[in-house]
Structure formats: structure tokens, C-alpha cells
Amino acid sequence: MLDFSEMMLQERQLLSSESSELAGKLRVIAGEQGVSASPVDRLATCRDYWPMGSLWFLEGKAPALPDLVVWPADTAQVAAVLALAGEHGVPVTPYGEGSGALGGAIPLRGGIVLDLKRMNQVRELDGENLMVTVECGLNGALYEEHLNRRGFTGGHIPQSIRCSTVGGWLACRAAGQFSSRYGKIEDMVVALEAVLPDGTVFSGRRVPRTATGPRLDHLFIGSEGALGVITAATLRIWPCPEERSLLSFAFAGLEEGLEAARLIIRAGARPAVVRLYDYAETGHHFPEVKEAGGRCMLILLIEGDRRLAAAETQMAREAALAHGGVDTGCGPVEHWLERRFNISLASKLFRQGAVVDTIEVSSTWTGAAPLYRAMQEAMLAVEGTALASGHYSHVYPEGAALYMTLCGFPPGEKADYYKRIWSAAMETCLSLGGAISHHHGIGLHRGLWMEQEHGGAGLEALRRVKQALDPGAIMNPGKLGLEEALEWRK
Amino acid sequence: MAEVNRKRLLECALCPNMCRCECPVAQAAGREAVAPSGKARLAHLLLEGRLPWSEAALEALSACLGCRGCTLLCPFPELALDDELLAARRNAAAAGICLPAAAPFDHNLKKYGSPYGSRGGPAAAKYGDGEVLYFTGCTAAANHPAAAGAALALFEQAGVSYQTIDEYCCGYPAETWGGETLARQLAAENRARIAKSGARRLVTGCPECRYTFTRRYTEWGAALPLPVVDSAGFFLELVREGRLKPRALEGAGPVTYHDPCLAARLEEKWEEPRILLGFIPGLSLAEAACAKRSTRCCGGGRMLQLTFPALSEAIAKRRLAEFPAGAAVVTACPFCRENLAAGGGAVLDLAELLARACL
Ligand SMILES: Cc1cc2nc3c(=O)[nH]c(=O)nc-3n(C[C@H](O)[C@H](O)[C@H](O)COP(=O)(O)OP(=O)(O)OC[C@H]3O[C@@H](n4cnc5c(N)ncnc54)[C@H](O)[C@@H]3O)c2cc1C
Ligand code: SF4
Ligand code: SF4
């Protein structure tokens, strides 16, 4: 039924006798309903939302199949599965909701896909101390819903909130749309519970801060399944904001908008949302705002305590006006709030044969505008590119995240084009001192530039950490640039 | 019946499951294969001929409640994924693949005209020439005839000129399991009896029956010659006309109203039941976390309580957790009543509650 030759990245598979023996042992751990060798379940977990997965899907191909899918019900089952996999030397790929954008959840070497979605309980909500402890497989929107119903917010609203898990956020060092106020996911971690590849379970302490040596649990933030499994997390929460104010300003160019944003943050204001669009995206997202024609739109959403929000609103307005921003009111922000989860255009474009993707990087304020220009130029220079536009999506006192969107109709092989345009973007980013990822992570694909990002010594140190924790190399092999993926090279 | 709209299905297959948080099946099962886009991907590959039909594939495509939770968040206004999956599943039947779990019920349907075995009408069946035809529906008749009994007792009280007929299943289960011919046969049987009755209106407390009568019978060549009315709306009419006079219920605590997904999202009916409850003096209504159009399915849609009992019960338990603590659950759908009760909830049909207040 499933043709191995159509699996574009598959490096290995178990023999069917090995698979059935292993399945029997796994059923003892996770129960009858907790293990599947069905082609239907294996095919369903062969990919994530990495665009190559969609492109291959359209051609009737798939990245790589696991041999078995396992749904652990609790941390003890995760530990037992990892210990068993270690004994058999079988790879394990943790799987959340498969919204990852870089192929991180593809089981390149077959083995076990560990689908964590049945671990979805909220263990404890501690309103007094503003912490919540949840299991890793909880869906993001349901996490936020649980908090909202009780008067809190998690402050983490990625565009994928409806289709990603809390564990996936942590594993990828994700960023929500409101991160300029609440921080990226790594800023929200109080403590993690994780299972090491040999089945050892450990938990960080649920205390505000520690000076007790390096925090092993924090090592798992951004570990993308390569060091073990994050089974639960204690995260910071906030009381639901009392006040919200929406502002937008149109600037003559990106530089002016960036300068306004920089000064707002520098002065200590923390708008939750700060997004600055280039000319093309301003035209695309806000065609009805006349004053924004031929300008760059900055949208700001400020929320929190009434008094603080009022002060921040005033600070933001002053900075924006001082840099030539034309006040375009709350309408554009309302429009963004309404449309921010609508990604239907991507599906339509894929169906029509386009290659579509997003590339998020980060840089200091000094480098922010040059990085945008250079990346756009490099990407447009790749034959077949129809569009390379961008916006700054998150800001910090030291700099900003740049989010580029690309769309191409390549003349030849799509995979070739895909690698070419990514190379253009990544090499440019590296040469200008940007970080190759701000929040989507490394996964499979971006591993190709991991050594350039960290330097040989940096990556080698990370490999040693991996070797120490996972000597059998069972955890999500071929990812994070720690090892070469045989079928996906530059 | 409509064919699969391949373009819409493919766009859904290319979506990263942007609605999965609202899909009760995806959330309770935690399985990629039954997430909305997971099912669309599978259906696409099957229809493309890239995969052969199998029981496992059909089983995954059948794990859909038809509840339209997905449409609350879906950016494609014209897509009704459940309808596309329904149409895709008919190809399985054509390939000789059937859902094993549905087989015994399908057998009953063919033999008796009801998936539950013998077709039992309500206890107070009254054949004749009444103006209102009360249609019980096979799920209500099989699982909880008391609700139909209460409805008819209210009719008596209000002096409604009504009748009942020797009903067949409306065709909803047959359609669900891919039996188009059978669905048409059942529709023809009902249509003949309903037409012959001479009634001016058909009232039913079953949203699945209403859905099938109003949205399917025409394409099955069995368009009904009379309007189909939901019982909550009909009772409200009777109360407003003063023909039913609800009294305070002794010792009644707060109630919450569970909106049946088809009634709320397809018929957009959520105000009438609440207004009706408001006529019961002193009754306090506490809203569930997700109510009205944003309701979440009880787990019984598209017969899942028969074909996927464990999943269906897990969905019911999740839904029960969304109701205000201590409130009695009232609903107006035999599937919801049955399934929420199976999940451990204390659930009353709206007609039963109203009967307690009026009789
Ligand atoms: C439409 C869309 C919008 C997006 N918007 C954003 C955004 O705004 N911000 C953002 O940061 N990202 C965004 N992303 C990327 C993606 O949603 C995130 O990377 C998300 O964190 C992945 O979560 P997931 O549960 O889907 O993980 P998956 O895709 O299932 O897995 C991602 C990686 O994490 C590993 N993993 C998953 N769970 C665990 C665990 N419990 N323990 C160890 N390893 C684990 C997997 O092995 C894999 O390597 C978006 C993606 C899409 C498709
Ligand atoms: S139903 Fe709509 S939102 Fe849900 S997966 Fe399909 S296209 Fe996406
Ligand atoms: S109709 Fe309901 S069960 Fe079916 S895919 Fe949509 S949300 Fe899920």
C-alpha cells in the first residue's frame, strides 16, 4: 500500500518482523489503543507543515514514514517507551500537532513517532503565583481558552495557536504575536518536566529564579525533540488585561518606522504587538487605508493595567508622530486582529503550483533595515521568484525579528528552487550578522546552515551535549543540524 | 448527492489544520489521521488513486461528527469538510469497502427501517388526521421514548390537533454509512406516509431528522409537501399563545442549555429554546462555556455513538466538563441527550423539562 520509493527522505525502516515484535512490547506499555502500525496512521505522521511536505504531497509523495505511531497517556509511558526504544536502537520522533515549518517532526529513519496529544491535561493553575502547569500535548488555543475562562492569559498567541501544542512551542523556541510584551516562550518558562532518552524523568523546580547551576530543564527549550521529550511545563501567566489600545501609523519608509519602534521600546514601553510592514505587505494587508498607500504601516497593540496602558499609548503615539508617522487610527489593527489567522492564500497558491514559504530571522536595530533589503534582493534574484516581501514582527530593546514571505513559480524542479531561494536568504542573513531563525526553529531543513550559525566549535559543543544525553542517537535523528540528513543536502 | 468538490478538498488538505482546536474528534482522539486536514489529505490520496480503499482508511474518514465545529474557524467560506468526507466515503461503498462497526446497524436499517432494530413509535402514538404531524425519529424512539411521550402530552395539554405515523428512519444513518440507495428508499417511505397524512406541519425534536428532511429530501427526490418545524420553536409558539402555562419547578436548581450542533450552526436556532426556558418562572439559566453558535458537539453526530463508542464517550466527557458546575443539562436532541447521559451527565430533554413545568 505504501510505496517506500515514494518516500523522499526515508533513510531506514524496520523489518516487518522487528516492527511487530516492537509493537507487541509497546502495547504492553501504552495499551492496545496506544499503538498503531496502520498505514493510515503512519502516513498521517509522515510530515509536518514544512512546504516541501505540501509540494511532495501534491505529487503523491511523502517525506518519510514511521514504522509505528505511539500515543503515550502519561510521563511514565513516555519514559517506558524511550527506554524500550533505546534497548532496540529504534529512533523516536516526538510529534505535537505537526505545524512545524522546517520538517522537524519528519521521522527520517522510521521507527516510532511519539504522538504526544493524549497528554493534554492542565495539572495545576496557580493564580496567586501566576503559574500554570500543563502537559505537553495540549493544543495551544485550548490552553489559552482554559486560562481565559479563569481570568488569565498565557500571553503566547502564535499564528499557529489553533494547530500547535505547548510542547511544540517549547521544543521550537516559538514566539507569539504578542511577544513584544509577554516574551517568547523561553521567557515564560518557570520549569519543565522532561524525559531523557534512557527513560530518566526529571523536573525543574517551580520557583521564580535559581542560582543552582545551569538549569538542565532549560536546555530542553529549543531542543526540537533531539535531546528527549518535554512532557510538561510550568509557564508564567498574566491576569487578563484590563485595557487594550490599538494604534497604527503609516511611515514614509521602513527606516522611519523602525526608528519609531526602536524608541518606543528603548523608552521602556512594551506594546504587546509591534508589526511594521514593507510597501508590498502594507498594500496587500491594508488596501482600504488610503493614507497608507505608498507607505509602511506600523501597527501597535498595547494592553495591560489601565494606567500603564495609557502611559504606553501616549509614549508610542509621540514617538510615531515625531518620526513622521501618519495616524491611521485603530482600524488597521482591528483588521489585523480579524484576519491574523487566515492563511487560506497559502493553500490556494500551493494548489496552483506555487512554492510558498516564510523565513524569519532576527537582527539588531542597526542591521534591521539593511538585512531586509539584502535578503529581499537576494531572494528576488533567484529565478522563478514572484514575490519576496517582509515585515518586522517582534521587537526587543536590542533589535527586531524580520519575517520574509516568498512565493515562486519555479521553471524546473521545485525542490531545487526551494533550496536555492533558501540558500540566498540564509547566506545573506549570515553575512550581515543576523540569526538564521527567530522562532520557527531549525528542524531538518535549516540544519543545513546550523554550522555557519554557531561556528564549528559551537555546533561541536552542542553535539557533545547530544552525545552525552543520547549516546544511542535515538532521539529525532537528522535534525537540528547535529547530523547530516542523507537525502536532504545543500 | 453532490460529488466531492476536489478543489475545496485539496485546499483543506494543504491547510495546517487551522481549525483542529474546534474539532471534537481531533481533540479527543489525538490522532493525526482524524484531524480535519488529516482526513482531507487521506481522502485526496484515495480519490487520486494513490492509495487503495481499505477499512482503516474508511474508518478514519468516518471519524467526523458532521458538527461543523471546523467551519467556525475555517477561512474557506464555501467548504463544509463533513460534506466532502461524506461524498468521499461513498466511493468506499462503490469499492466494496464498508465500515465494520456500522454493519449490524446497517443490517437493522435494511431489515427494519431503523438502525436500532424494530421501529417503535412513541407510546402515545395517535394515527389520524391531525394538523401537526409529530415525527419522533428512530434515535429518540429507541433510546428515550419518554421525551417523545412528554412532547405529545404537552400537545394534548395545549389541545394541538396532531397525529403520528408509522415512521421509518429519516435516512441520516444510511447517508452517513454511504448507503445512498437505502437512504432514498427510506425517504420515499416517509415521504409517502407524510404526504398521505394531510398534516400541515411536521414537528420533530430531532435535529438530525430536520437536517435530513430539509437538506436532503429534495435531492433524494422526496421533497416534503409541508414545513418542518423544530419542537422548541413550536412549544414556544404554544406558550406565547397561552396554550401552555409553565409553572415554577419546585426545588429546581440552575440549568444549562446544551445547543445541539446542527440546530445551532445549520438552523441557527439558539434563541427559541432559551426564550422558552425563560418562561418557566424562577428557572435560572447558566450558560456553558461554548454556547449557541460556538457550541461543541456531544460526540453523537453522524452516529458516532454507535460506530465509535469509546471516542464518542470521550467527546461527551469533554463537553460535560464545559458545563457550569451544579447545573442540570437540558438539550433538544435525542443524540445529545443520549450521549451526554452516557458520558455521565444528568441530562433532560427540553420537552421533559417543559412537561414538568406545564402538566
Ligand atoms: C500557519 C502557521 C503559523 C505559524 N506561526 C507561528 C508563530 O506565530 N510563531 C511561532 O513560533 N511558530 C509559528 N509556526 C510554526 C509552528 O507552529 C511552531 O513551530 C510550533 O511551535 C510547533 O508546534 P507543534 O505542536 O505543531 O510541533 P510539531 O510540528 O509537531 O513538532 C515540532 C518539533 O518539536 C518536536 N516536539 C514536539 N513536541 C515535543 C515535545 N513535547 N518534546 C520534545 N520535542 C517535541 C518535534 O519532534 C519537532 O521537531 C507556525 C506554523 C504554521 C503552520
Ligand atoms: S476545514 Fe478549513 S480550517 Fe479546517 S483544516 Fe480544512 S481548510 Fe483548514
Ligand atoms: S464536522 Fe466536526 S468532527 Fe467533522 S471535521 Fe469538522 S469539527 Fe471535526
Side-chain angles (χ1 to χ4, degrees), chain B:
Chain B
M1 272 183 242
E3 290 299 314
V4 179
N5 184 318
R6 297 292 299 279
K7 175 175 121 357
R8 284 185 203 155
L9 183 71
L10 181 54
E11 283 171 351
C12 178
L14 292 164
C15 172
N17 276 303
M18 291 298 272
C19 61
R20 72 189 299 157
C21 56
E22 280 300 333
C23 175
V25 166
Q27 289 306 324
R31 254 178 93 193
E32 281 307 298
V34 299
S37 179
K39 288 178 280 203
R41 287 172 200 173
L42 184 60
H44 172 79
L45 293 174
L46 289 160
L47 296 173
E48 284 282 288
R50 303 261 186 198
L51 287 177
W53 280 97
S54 62
E55 281 178 6
L58 177 61
E59 190 233 37
L61 295 194
S62 303
C64 172
L65 298 154
C67 71
R68 303 268 168 108
C70 44
T71 56
L72 288 174
L73 302 178
C74 182
F76 295 100
E78 291 179 344
L79 174 69
L81 176 59
D82 58 319
D83 275 351
E84 300 303 339
L85 294 173
L86 199 60
R89 296 203 295 267
R90 287 205 301 276
N91 293 270
I97 304 284
C98 298
L99 191 64
F105 307 109
D106 206 36
H107 169 82
N108 284 341
L109 204 49
K110 285 178 186 136
K111 191 161 172 196
Y112 306 106
S114 157
Y116 304 96
S118 63
R119 303 198 314 278
K126 180 172 154 187
Y127 303 103
D129 55 4
E131 281 185 17
V132 170
L133 191 162
Y134 184 77
F135 195 92
T136 306
C138 53
T139 299
N143 293 326
H144 194 60
L152 295 184
L154 287 165
F155 283 12
E156 293 280 352
Q157 170 92 357
V160 174
S161 154
Y162 75 93
Q163 60 172 305
T164 56
I165 54 166
D166 178 23
E167 299 171 8
Y168 278 76
C169 167
C170 66
Y172 175 83
E175 176 193 45
T176 302
W177 300 323
E180 186 175 354
T181 314
L182 179 58
R184 283 173 183 269
Q185 284 164 357
L186 293 166
E189 293 286 356
N190 280 325
R191 143 97 213 172
R193 285 167 172 73
I194 292 167
K196 196 167 145 227
S197 76
R200 303 241 294 271
R201 291 205 271 183
L202 185 155
V203 174
T204 176
C206 179
E208 279 71 11
C209 293
R210 291 199 298 274
Y211 162 88
T212 310
F213 290 148
T214 55
R215 296 189 182 237
R216 297 292 191 235
Y217 269 34
T218 307
E219 43 176 303
W220 293 345
L224 294 181
L226 78 185
V228 174
V229 179
D230 72 299
S231 51
F234 186 67
F235 289 135
L236 181 58
E237 231 179 272
L238 296 178
V239 170
R240 280 184 168 147
E241 286 167 6
R243 294 164 71 185
L244 286 177
K245 295 193 175 63
R247 297 177 309 271
L249 288 164
E250 293 268 312
V255 299
T256 188
Y257 183 71
H258 164 72
D259 292 273
C261 50
L262 289 188
R265 283 198 274 269
L266 283 158
E267 299 181 303
E268 305 204 334
K269 291 218 180 285
W270 57 73
E271 289 305 342
E272 279 100 333
R274 287 177 172 77
I275 300 171
L276 182 61
L277 288 170
F279 273 103
I280 301 179
L283 193 75
S284 92
L285 181 69
E287 287 293 356
C290 292
K292 304 181 182 174
R293 190 162 180 269
S294 307
T295 186
R296 286 181 176 150
C297 179
C298 66
R302 284 282 167 211
M303 318 304 295
L304 258 65
Q305 84 281 30
L306 298 184
T307 48
F308 296 81
L311 175 63
S312 180
E313 192 178 317
I315 294 171
K317 289 202 156 78
R318 292 174 70 95
R319 179 58 181 154
L320 284 166
E322 295 184 328
F323 295 132
V329 183
V330 181
T331 191
C333 167
F335 289 76
C336 298
R337 204 218 68 88
E338 182 64 15
N339 216 47
L340 292 173
V347 193
L348 269 185
D349 189 276
L350 188 59
E352 288 175 283
L353 184 76
L354 192 64
R356 283 189 200 169
C358 294
L359 303 182

Side-chain angles (χ1 to χ4, degrees), chain A residues 297-317:
Chain A
M297 178 69 90
L298 173 70
I299 63 170
L300 300 164
L301 184 153
I302 292 166
E303 65 177 27
D305 176 271
R306 193 170 30 83
R307 293 153 301 182
L308 288 175
E312 289 185 324
T313 302
Q314 197 186 338
M315 289 159 79
R317 183 180 300 285

Side-chain angles (χ1 to χ4, degrees), chain A residues 252-467:
Chain A
L254 276 179
E255 278 78 357
E256 290 81 352
L258 277 170
E259 190 56 8
R262 184 179 76 87
L263 294 177
I264 292 168
I265 302 301
R266 187 184 179 91
R270 289 290 175 274
V273 178
V274 181
R275 294 167 80 86
L276 175 67
Y277 298 87
D278 70 1
Y279 296 124
E281 294 195 5
T282 299
H284 174 70
H285 293 298
F286 310 103
E288 74 289 354
V289 186
K290 285 203 182 58
E291 308 90 304
R295 290 173 171 263
C296 293
M297 178 69 90
L298 173 70
I299 63 170
L300 300 164
L301 184 153
I302 292 166
E303 65 177 27
D305 176 271
R306 193 170 30 83
R307 293 153 301 182
L308 288 175
E312 289 185 324
T313 302
Q314 197 186 338
M315 289 159 79
R317 183 180 300 285
E318 282 170 13
L321 295 176
H323 287 82
V326 176
D327 189 342
T328 41
C330 58
V333 197
E334 282 165 355
H335 178 84
W336 172 78
L337 283 168
E338 243 166 60
R339 304 275 305 167
R340 67 196 159 130
F341 299 118
N342 188 330
I343 55 150
S344 54
L345 188 58
S347 292
K348 288 181 190 154
L349 287 167
F350 275 126
R351 187 177 59 73
Q352 288 160 19
V355 175
V356 191
D357 206 356
T358 58
I359 303 180
E360 25 60 63
V361 296
S362 73
S363 93
T364 57
W365 289 112
T366 320
L371 183 60
Y372 160 77
R373 295 200 195 294
M375 281 182 68
Q376 184 184 47
E377 191 185 339
M379 290 161 76
L380 286 172
V382 178
E383 191 191 358
T385 304
L387 170 108
S389 63
H391 64 267
Y392 299 91
S393 53
H394 310 260
V395 298
Y396 308 93
E398 55 283 346
L402 170 63
Y403 191 94
M404 300 294 296
T405 297
L406 68 93
C407 174
F409 292 89
E413 268 287 306
K414 288 185 176 151
D416 288 345
Y417 168 78
Y418 187 75
K419 285 182 188 170
R420 268 188 281 125
I421 190 149
W422 263 86
S423 283
M426 291 289 90
E427 301 294 339
T428 309
C429 175
L430 285 159
S431 71
L432 291 184
I436 60 171
S437 177
H438 173 261
H439 59 267
H440 284 170
I442 299 300
L444 163 69
H445 177 55
R446 219 177 325 223
L448 300 175
W449 296 275
M450 197 57 173
E451 187 161 351
Q452 284 161 274
E453 171 73 18
H454 289 281
L459 186 58
E460 181 49 31
L462 203 52
R463 285 188 176 130
R464 283 190 216 156
V465 172
K466 162 86 174 170
Q467 168 68 24

Side-chain angles (χ1 to χ4, degrees), chain A residues 187-206:
Chain A
D187 303 312
M188 299 171 179
V189 175
V190 178
L192 299 181
E193 173 191 278
V195 180
L196 297 179
D198 67 357
T200 307
V201 180
F202 79 94
S203 311
R205 298 202 51 216
R206 292 193 275 163

